[in-house]
Amino acid sequence: MKHANHTSTGADGAGLLGEVEGTLQGHRDGHGFLIPDDGSADIYLSSQETHAVMHGDRLRVRVTRFDKRGRPEGKVLEILARRKRPIIGRLLLESGAWLVAPEDRRMGQDILIPKNGIANATAGQVVAVELTEPPSLYSRPVGRVVEVLGEIDDPGMEIEIAVRKYDVPHRFSPDTLAQSAKLPEKLRAADLKGRIDLRDVPLATIDGEDARDFDDAVYCEPFKQGRGKKAFEGWRLLVAIADVSHYVKPGEPLDADAYERATSVYFPRRVIPMLPEKLSNGLCSLNPYEDRLSMVCDMLVSTAGEVSAYQFYPAVISSHARFTYNEVAAILANTHGPEAAKRRELVPQLLHLHEVYRALLAERQRRGAIDFETTETQIVCDDNGRIEKIVPRTRNDAHRLIEEAMLAANVCAADFIQHGKHPSLYRVHEGPTPEKRQTLQAYLRSLGIPLGISDDPAPREFQQLAEATKDRPDAQQIHTMLLRSMQQAIYTGTNSGHFGLAYPAYTHFTSPIRRYPDLLVHRVIKALLAGRKYTLDPAKMNVPQAPKRPGRAAPPNPAEARNEAERWEVVGAHCSANERRADEASRDVEAWLKCRYMRDRLGEEFAGTVSAVTSFGLFVQLDALYVEGLVHITELGGEYFKFDEARQELRGERTGIRYATGARVQVQVGRVDLDGRRIDFRLVREADELRALARGAAPKSAGKPAGKGAGRAPARKRAPQTDAQMAAQTAVEALEDVRQADRDLKQSRKAAVAALHPVKAARKAANKAAKKSAAKPATRKRR
């Protein structure tokens, strides 16, 4: 970062008095940050500068100063473009004036609504507002209600809010619906032209219990070929993927809507699909006993788990069964059980699938790919859309079996495209940045973990760390730190490999029903099979520029994409941005549901684990409910806590008490902010032995509750404690002990002063007695 006296413009951003264009990202506290178009450092804008602008506006800003840490601060010079999309919020009536409080707190200002602009809405309802007058230095923004969503407690309202809050397209265009309606209900003879007929092959789908669309079907059989040194022994693995590209053609309305969405968005009890239901749940879903068009990746996998040969071809299939993960896991665990008896004819192929999975898994381990076992949760809702319970989602061999089969097909697709020298989208996952690597190394050293990572780490190093720490009580937190150190996977036209999976080239081929990049990969593969070239539609460049992500270069400007390679980069950035948008919308809905769930548990106490430590407090995940909340630093006691980034801990300067990731704590639900999606906890007591007391802190006798008891003896010198005694003392007791020591010290000082100056002490006591007997308590002077 450039120092304040620099005036030139560099990679880190504009120098002093330099001008920058970008998009405003507001903050709930009133200030904001300009996210520059060129990918340089964000520029801080004070609340005074953001009074006349709103989150999402495009601005030109001049850098006016740099703070002590070299971060730029700016002044708004010009508003280039106003945010055009409607704003979602609650309609309120305050002192006779109508206004809307935006759901997105980054907007920073309430919106005034004239009486004739509330439509048919009533106070308290959730509405969509269109601005008629933007904010200025002296006035609030003014708008009118354009849509009434309903009451805040209506079932599914949190999803209606999220799709609008994050600009998720949720209505198909009339042209798309018309085109979808014209599609045939079943396959026609012309659809089968040029396809391999695999309807007699017992392919089967394996998905979750609540799945409604089925992208993929699998089949496996033992395979031997040749003799001597050229002999091959292993399996033939078929992965059949729904052929969406047969129905969704470039330039048509279906394709335009699919590209705009780029992905399906999954919420509890609801899905915003990328394709209309007639395709996603009908023609393109590999439903059992239905003839379906597919693209097949036909592979030979050796006993060593290596894919020695593969081919792609269009086919027609008929799924012979719809399995669930739990059903397959039960069959594999007991081939003579009731589940196996129902599917007796398909049990052999499930066993072959399990065999090839174990071979592929062994090859993954030899390759050094990262495989963290993290706990995922599933929200179970009642009929009203409210959380009934949150349960851990356990991964069994059936999940892993399908995962390895899909990985193998995706790698083959990337290899096929690379050898064909055709531009396409790759799924790229890069290793840690130098900054993140240094943070991780410091964290591992602070925990005393002997293993580290090199300056140019390989995936194997991360996997070795995961293996070495998997039995530690803080393994979950260590693995989380390992994951956070790596960059986010993206779609891009430039292949840079996949760090986490340890693949030199990787793409997405297996889910064209719900991911647009997979649909593009299908089109590229079909073009290569036909000896043609697939060229992107120039209309796909008519998209907003994707936001700049931390640690990455600025995304390409769609308007400046002049050649095919640049167009693929634009499409990749668009798909990556919409993937993140879908994730953010899903997390927002889950956070709302969890807040609503915890609002009924105010005051209750739960055991939990510190999942993250920040400079402003501790994030704690509850053991029983799998809900995360914040223990603000002000709730940790009356002392100053210092954040140690290397150790990922907060440490009290006076008591030495430490709070680190993995610590066991007992908390009380103190506050739930439904609008802010925030749950606040109060620390009740620590629940494990991770303690460190301050020097000279006077611990209490064992078994005596903190802060209770009739009288206290004056402070006295105490015998040194053993480590075991110190470990047994709770954080609350330690803090109370220090407070009591301070009180005792003050009392002893007062007694000493009284002994040295009896006359002054007598006058002081008389004045105090006179004040206590005063008739009006409100006139008492505060000491």
Side-chain angles (χ1 to χ4, degrees):
M1 182 63 66
K2 289 178 167 48
H3 197 267
N5 60 3
H6 286 194
T7 58
S8 61
T9 301
D12 292 329
L16 189 63
L17 303 182
E19 296 183 7
V20 182
E21 294 184 3
T23 303
L24 175 66
Q25 180 173 292
H27 190 277
R28 60 187 297 168
D29 292 339
H31 59 269
F33 295 89
L34 184 84
I35 313 299
D37 295 339
D38 61 8
S40 57
D42 299 349
I43 299 172
Y44 172 80
L45 298 174
S46 67
S47 56
Q48 183 177 358
E49 290 296 323
T50 59
H51 194 74
V53 293
M54 299 186 75
H55 170 73
D57 289 351
R58 284 189 47 73
L59 312 172
R60 179 181 289 115
V61 167
R62 173 179 291 150
V63 177
T64 56
R65 66 181 295 269
F66 290 83
D67 66 12
K68 293 179 180 179
R69 295 174 60 182
R71 296 173 298 187
E73 298 181 11
K75 175 181 179 62
V76 177
L77 296 178
E78 182 183 358
I79 301 169
L80 301 175
R82 293 284 189 180
R83 172 193 169 99
K84 296 180 180 179
R85 291 183 178 272
I87 297 170
I88 308 302
R90 297 274 296 278
L91 181 65
L92 305 174
L93 180 60
E94 294 185 356
S95 303
W98 292 95
L99 55 88
V100 167
E103 172 68 23
D104 191 341
R105 297 294 185 88
R106 294 175 298 180
M107 291 297 167
Q109 303 182 55
D110 292 342
I111 302 164
L112 295 175
I113 309 294
K115 289 183 179 180
N116 61 355
I118 65 170
N120 59 344
T122 58
Q125 287 188 314
V126 181
V127 297
V129 174
E130 183 179 76
L131 291 185
T132 55
E133 296 179 24
S136 70
L137 290 174
Y138 309 104
S139 63
R140 287 184 181 182
V142 179
R144 63 184 182 90
V145 174
V146 293
E147 183 182 10
V148 180
L149 303 185
E151 303 294 336
I152 188 64
D153 287 327
D154 288 350
M157 180 54 65
E158 66 281 358
I159 297 176
E160 296 296 334
I161 291 173
V163 295
R164 292 164 175 83
K165 179 178 175 180
Y166 292 94
D167 299 330
V168 176
H170 58 286
R171 294 191 180 100
F172 289 107
S173 68
D175 290 341
T176 293
L177 294 175
Q179 184 185 356
S180 174
K182 292 178 181 178
L183 291 172
E185 298 295 332
K186 294 185 178 181
L187 299 188
R188 299 164 297 187
D191 297 326
L192 309 183
K193 185 179 179 181
R195 294 182 178 270
I196 305 296
D197 192 340
L198 297 181
R199 284 176 286 191
D200 60 334
V201 177
L203 287 143
T205 61
I206 305 176
D207 293 276
E209 279 77 359
D210 55 351
R212 295 179 60 193
D213 53 42
F214 311 114
D215 294 90
D216 52 83
V218 290
Y219 169 77
C220 185
E221 65 182 13
F223 186 84
K224 291 183 181 181
Q225 188 178 53
R227 293 183 180 181
K229 293 183 179 180
K230 294 185 178 180
F232 173 86
E233 184 174 357
W235 300 269
R236 184 185 179 193
L237 174 63
L238 270 64
V239 175
I241 306 299
D243 189 0
V244 176
S245 63
H246 180 81
Y247 300 100
V248 182
K249 304 291 187 182
E252 295 182 348
L254 273 171
D255 185 57
D257 269 14
Y259 179 61
E260 182 187 12
R261 299 178 179 218
T263 181
S264 296
V265 188
Y266 292 86
F267 300 109
R269 300 180 74 242
R270 184 179 169 188
V271 177
I272 307 295
M274 186 181 80
L275 300 171
E277 190 171 343
K278 186 169 184 178
L279 285 169
S280 60
N281 294 349
L283 278 172
C284 292
S285 182
L286 306 183
N287 301 326
Y289 316 117
E290 297 279 352
D291 291 352
R292 290 289 183 260
L293 304 182
S294 69
M295 286 294 294
V296 174
C297 181
D298 194 338
M299 297 167 277
L300 293 182
V301 183
S302 70
T303 52
E306 297 176 351
V307 179
S308 61
Y310 65 82
Q311 61 177 331
F312 288 91
Y313 51 82
V316 55
I317 71 165
S318 178
S319 170
H320 283 46
R322 181 269 200 263
F323 285 108
T324 66
Y325 291 122
N326 291 336
E327 185 181 6
V328 171
I331 292 172
L332 295 175
N334 183 6
T335 55
H336 299 288
E339 291 85 1
K342 296 175 186 175
R343 308 276 196 169
R344 191 170 304 279
E345 69 284 357
L346 293 174
V347 169
Q349 93 124 325
L350 291 180
L351 295 176
H352 296 322
L353 281 168
H354 194 245
E355 289 167 359
V356 78
Y357 148 68
R358 287 186 294 184
L360 290 168
L361 182 63
E363 200 279 328
R364 169 199 276 256
Q365 293 168 348
R366 285 191 295 270
R367 198 171 68 244
I370 301 171
D371 187 17
F372 296 148
E373 285 294 336
T374 56
T375 302
E376 295 184 5
T377 57
Q378 178 183 3
I379 293 178
V380 180
C381 294
D382 58 22
D383 294 337
N384 294 320
R386 301 289 179 257
I387 293 181
E388 188 175 285
K389 58 183 177 180
I390 303 174
V391 296
R393 193 191 296 269
T394 55
R395 291 176 73 243
N396 53 43
D397 273 4
H399 290 88
R400 300 184 185 97
L401 180 156
I402 290 297
E403 179 182 320
E404 288 297 331
M406 298 305 113
L407 290 178
N410 286 338
V411 171
C412 290
D415 186 73
F416 184 67
I417 292 168
Q418 269 202 312
H419 278 84
K421 298 181 180 180
H422 196 295
S424 183
L425 284 186
Y426 294 92
R427 183 66 167 177
V428 168
H429 179 230
E430 296 178 347
T433 62
E435 295 79 12
K436 288 188 174 183
R437 189 187 68 244
Q438 291 171 5
T439 301
L440 177 62
Q441 287 174 329
Y443 174 71
L444 295 173
R445 282 196 299 269
S446 71
L447 295 180
I449 297 174
L451 294 174
I453 56 174
S454 63
D455 292 338
D456 186 17
R460 186 181 303 278
E461 297 176 46
F462 283 78
Q463 185 58 26
Q464 288 171 345
L465 277 167
E467 284 292 324
T469 57
K470 66 180 181 181
D471 295 326
R472 288 175 57 117
D474 56 352
Q476 185 75 25
Q477 285 68 40
I478 294 172
H479 293 181
T480 299
M481 286 298 293
L482 292 175
L483 283 171
R484 286 177 181 169
S485 71
M486 290 179 279
Q487 299 184 58
Q488 192 174 33
I490 60 170
Y491 295 106
T492 173
T494 305
N495 176 39
S496 302
H498 197 291
F499 182 84
L501 296 172
Y503 286 132
Y506 186 71
T507 192
H508 276 169
F509 162 79
T510 53
S511 298
I513 290 178
R514 60 186 179 90
R515 292 191 304 230
Y516 196 83
D518 303 53
L519 174 58
L520 289 176
V521 168
H522 277 231
R523 289 175 180 169
V524 169
I525 289 175
K526 278 188 172 181
L528 287 171
L529 291 174
R532 296 181 288 100
K533 183 178 180 180
Y534 173 70
T535 304
L536 284 173
D537 184 351
K540 287 183 171 52
M541 303 305 105
N542 186 25
V543 293
Q545 184 168 2
K548 186 256 179 186
R549 307 301 296 179
R552 293 192 181 275
N557 186 342
E560 298 176 357
R562 298 179 180 86
N563 54 51
E564 192 69 6
E566 292 177 356
R567 291 191 184 103
W568 281 99
E569 289 297 330
V570 168
V571 170
H574 169 74
C575 292
S576 298
N578 285 11
E579 178 186 47
R580 287 189 292 271
R581 178 182 68 183
D583 290 341
E584 289 169 357
S586 297
R587 283 196 294 267
D588 186 81
V589 168
E590 290 186 9
W592 191 95
L593 288 171
K594 288 178 179 178
C595 286
R596 183 70 177 77
Y597 182 55
M598 295 305 294
R599 198 168 64 176
D600 298 332
R601 289 162 175 77
L602 285 170
E604 295 184 24
E605 293 183 14
F606 300 93
T609 303
V610 176
S611 57
V613 182
T614 68
S615 59
F616 53 85
L618 314 170
F619 284 96
V620 176
Q621 185 177 68
L622 305 184
D623 295 344
L625 302 181
Y626 299 97
V627 170
E628 191 175 66
L630 174 69
V631 178
H632 196 268
I633 197 167
T634 55
E635 296 288 344
L636 298 180
E639 67 171 310
Y640 180 76
F641 280 86
K642 186 176 181 181
F643 175 55
D644 188 332
E645 187 175 3
R647 293 177 178 270
Q648 289 291 298
E649 70 176 20
L650 285 172
R651 177 169 179 166
E653 284 202 340
R654 196 165 71 176
T655 62
I657 298 171
R658 297 175 181 175
Y659 298 95
T661 55
R664 303 281 299 137
V665 293
Q666 189 82 8
V667 296
Q668 181 187 57
V669 183
R671 178 174 173 268
V672 175
D673 179 4
L674 201 60
D675 293 333
R677 312 291 194 266
R678 176 172 162 174
I679 302 169
D680 289 334
F681 295 146
R682 298 190 187 99
L683 193 66
V684 177
R685 63 177 183 275
E686 285 194 288
D688 70 357
E689 72 280 358
L690 298 177
R691 310 287 180 271
L693 303 183
R695 294 175 184 173
K700 300 156 64 72
S701 58
K704 188 173 181 180
K708 296 185 179 180
R712 292 181 182 270
R716 61 183 185 274
K717 189 175 181 180
R718 306 191 184 192
Q721 286 189 308
T722 65
D723 290 342
Q725 288 172 322
M726 291 179 73
Q729 189 172 27
T730 67
V732 175
E733 290 172 339
L735 187 57
E736 178 61 27
D737 223 20
V738 172
R739 288 173 175 168
Q740 182 58 36
D742 285 349
R743 289 193 288 266
D744 292 343
L745 182 60
K746 289 178 182 178
Q747 289 294 336
S748 62
R749 285 177 176 173
K750 287 180 181 179
V753 170
L756 290 173
H757 305 284
V759 176
K760 187 183 288 187
R763 285 177 180 172
K764 203 170 188 178
N767 290 337
K768 190 173 182 179
K771 289 174 183 177
K772 284 185 177 180
S773 61
K776 295 181 180 180
T779 63
R780 295 176 186 174
K781 185 185 292 185
R782 292 187 178 181
R783 299 187 64 82

